Amino acid sequence: FLEIETPILTKSTPEGARDYLVPSRVHPGEFYALPQSPQIFKQILMISGMDRYVQIVKCFRDEDLRADRQPEFTQVDLEIAFATEDLVFSILEPLMGRLMALIGRDAPRPFLRMAYADAITKYGSDKPDLRAGMELRTLSEPFASSNFSVFKNAIATGEEVRGFVIPKGARYSRKELDTLAEDAKQLGAAGLVWARAADAGVQSPALKAAGEDVIRRALELAGAGGGDLLVMAAGPHDATSRILGQLRLQIAKRENLLDPNAYAFLWVVDFPMFEWLDDEQRWEFMHHPFTSPLEADAALLESDPGRARARAYDLVLNGSEIGGGSIRIHDQRLQRLIFKLLGMTEDEAKLRFGFFLEALEYGTPPHGGIALGLDRIVAILAGEQSIREVIAFPKTAQAVDLMAGAPSTVNPKQLRELHLKID
């Protein structure tokens, strides 16, 4: 690999988050942007014949902060000409093994791979924490012809009954069960139904309406044992899965099911190319607009873009996304089509990405890569919940540098030199 530095002052080409803008003194009314990633530059390096690139690079995103995000962060960025998913994985997995060895842990290879759709179905998340167990199940079958109208009516309208088993949860008191139901409502569920097979028989608030045979069948389908508790909710597949996935993690933390000494790596693959933005009535890219579609789904791009899957992949560790990458588009016509599907006019695409589209004309090898979140990886290995704990000079949740007092006002002379006026 060649270690190559890419520009910090560059062109604003938003990749999903807001850019940090830097006004130009010598070009009044024009701005540089701080890079959200070196994405376009590393692809141009592939076009220019630099077939293996790596960089430890600062990136900047003006977005709402969370425990695992900062406005400026460090990536380990790499790109490879003639890459395949298998090649990228074969380079990254031994690297993760060497990192885990630093803290005396193993990273058995090969890492598990899971399609995005399966991750949502089984764990209600595209970055599942596998340590928790408690896989989600579809439990519609016993309720479809039952007298429990809440579930029966949902199934009749195309929705699903989904649920998961809490190991040894049958011990929960009525107060704890009520708290569980309230937690589910706070997450967006219309309600939560529980069931357990106790010594005195099957227990469930749905027992009278559904009947004992139906509840027993649901417990059987979910794989619930005598000391376990089954929790269920009804609704659209993805939305219900995500709600139950969040509830699953809350319970896992409460029940100490997340072993701090266990490290579960996972590749999540085959992400959707696009997601639909209801507010704006348009498609938006799931990863970024330079990701190649699966060859089998290329024909869906114009006819049914919502079903098209991408050659995108995330590396997940213990429920945190520590890296994301893809096999890139190397064909200019396909790149123009993607921009069109995202609602960009020819002029807008040329304004934002013209230099990149021009570069694609010169013969581009297939290529792909990945960016690893260095701060996030270090936080996980150090056992910290927040990346702020492993950054020497972190910002607060309000993006403030308390030590330096940034952001701050500046001298009016500086504003005049930059041709800026503050309202």
Side-chain angles (χ1 to χ4, degrees):
F1 283 84
L2 292 175
E3 185 175 1
I4 303 174
E5 291 187 350
T6 52
I8 292 296
L9 291 176
T10 184
K11 184 180 177 68
S12 178
T13 55
E15 294 183 27
R18 290 179 292 271
D19 284 330
Y20 278 103
L21 300 177
V22 180
S24 170
R25 180 183 60 81
V26 296
H27 299 282
E30 297 185 353
F31 296 81
Y32 300 102
L34 302 182
Q36 296 187 32
S37 81
Q39 184 63 44
I40 291 179
F41 291 108
K42 64 182 182 178
Q43 290 190 244
I44 288 177
L45 287 172
M46 298 298 105
I47 297 170
S48 70
M50 304 292 183
D51 61 353
R52 288 201 170 195
Y53 142 94
V54 69
Q55 182 182 191
I56 299 175
V57 59
K58 276 284 189 181
C59 300
F60 308 85
R61 291 180 186 173
D62 184 8
E63 58 187 348
D64 297 332
L65 304 189
R66 299 198 308 249
D68 59 349
R69 284 186 178 170
Q70 284 278 292
E72 55 180 304
F73 54 95
T74 306
Q75 285 185 180
V76 179
D77 204 54
L78 65 139
E79 197 78 5
I80 308 163
F82 301 101
T84 62
E85 291 88 342
D86 286 340
L87 177 59
V88 174
F89 296 175
S90 70
I91 292 171
L92 266 292
E93 290 182 12
L95 172 62
M96 292 299 109
R98 292 179 66 183
L99 285 177
M100 296 307 297
L102 296 175
I103 60 169
R105 304 293 176 192
D106 294 325
R109 303 198 299 269
F111 295 172
L112 180 65
R113 301 183 192 184
M114 184 179 297
Y116 169 91
D118 291 337
I120 298 299
T121 295
K122 293 180 178 180
Y123 300 104
S125 172
D126 60 1
K127 49 183 180 181
D129 193 331
L130 302 182
R131 297 173 298 169
M134 297 192 292
E135 189 175 309
L136 307 186
R137 304 290 179 90
T138 299
L139 305 170
S140 301
E141 180 256 307
F143 294 99
S145 58
S146 74
N147 293 322
F148 186 47
S149 60
V150 175
F151 283 179
K152 183 179 180 179
N153 293 341
I155 295 165
T157 60
E159 297 179 344
E160 294 182 4
V161 177
R162 310 222 68 221
F164 64 92
V165 172
I166 304 171
K168 301 178 182 178
R171 70 180 192 283
Y172 281 17
S173 67
R174 179 57 63 128
K175 182 180 178 181
E176 289 172 313
L177 292 170
D178 290 343
T179 299
L180 206 58
E182 186 57 36
D183 289 344
K185 288 180 181 178
Q186 292 293 324
L187 294 170
L192 191 75
V193 175
W194 56 267
R196 59 188 171 192
D199 293 339
V202 172
Q203 297 178 349
S204 173
L207 180 62
K208 185 175 180 180
E212 184 170 336
D213 288 346
V214 169
I215 300 299
R216 283 195 183 278
R217 176 62 178 152
L219 288 165
E220 179 186 339
L221 281 176
D228 300 334
L229 180 73
L230 171 62
V231 291
M232 299 173 283
H237 176 88
D238 279 14
T240 305
S241 298
R242 290 183 182 278
I243 289 168
L244 291 175
Q246 293 178 71
L247 184 65
R248 167 184 173 272
L249 279 181
Q250 288 185 5
I251 293 167
K253 292 172 183 175
R254 193 182 302 155
E255 296 288 329
N256 296 316
L257 297 177
L258 304 178
D259 182 355
N261 296 312
Y263 294 88
F265 285 94
L266 170 71
W267 289 107
V268 178
V269 300
D270 297 350
F271 280 79
M273 278 287 289
F274 308 106
E275 55 185 337
W276 180 252
L277 301 181
D278 280 328
D279 293 345
E280 302 178 32
Q281 290 294 293
R282 67 176 182 87
W283 293 107
E284 178 66 305
F285 48 84
M286 178 72 84
H287 268 63
H288 57 61
F290 314 108
T291 298
S292 182
L294 284 178
E295 191 172 334
D297 290 359
L300 296 171
L301 289 174
E302 293 188 87
S303 62
D304 193 358
R307 288 179 53 212
R309 293 166 297 169
R311 295 182 69 181
Y313 38 81
D314 282 355
L315 180 56
V316 176
L317 174 58
N318 291 359
S320 289
E321 176 206 330
I322 62 170
S326 66
I327 304 301
R328 324 299 187 188
I329 295 170
H330 61 277
D331 179 85
Q332 189 195 65
R333 288 172 298 177
L334 178 56
Q335 188 64 76
R336 289 185 183 278
L337 173 60
I338 296 300
F339 288 155
K340 179 183 175 183
L341 291 172
L342 292 171
M344 289 188 210
T345 64
E346 284 278 343
D347 289 342
E348 185 181 0
K350 186 174 181 180
L351 178 66
R352 290 174 61 181
F353 302 107
F355 66 100
F356 177 64
L357 288 169
E358 183 179 348
L360 287 174
E361 292 180 0
Y362 295 99
T364 306
H367 58 285
I370 194 168
L372 299 173
L374 183 60
D375 310 298
R376 201 172 297 182
I377 292 171
V378 172
I380 292 172
L381 297 184
E384 298 291 350
Q385 294 299 310
S386 170
I387 64 172
R388 288 196 293 269
E389 300 300 327
V390 297
I391 296 175
F393 302 102
K395 305 292 190 293
T396 68
Q398 288 74 42
V400 172
D401 183 334
L402 294 175
M403 186 191 75
S408 64
T409 57
V410 297
N411 190 299
K413 180 184 177 183
Q414 291 175 283
L415 292 177
R416 288 194 298 273
E417 289 174 341
L418 294 169
H419 310 281
L420 294 178
K421 184 181 290 185
I422 306 298
D423 290 335

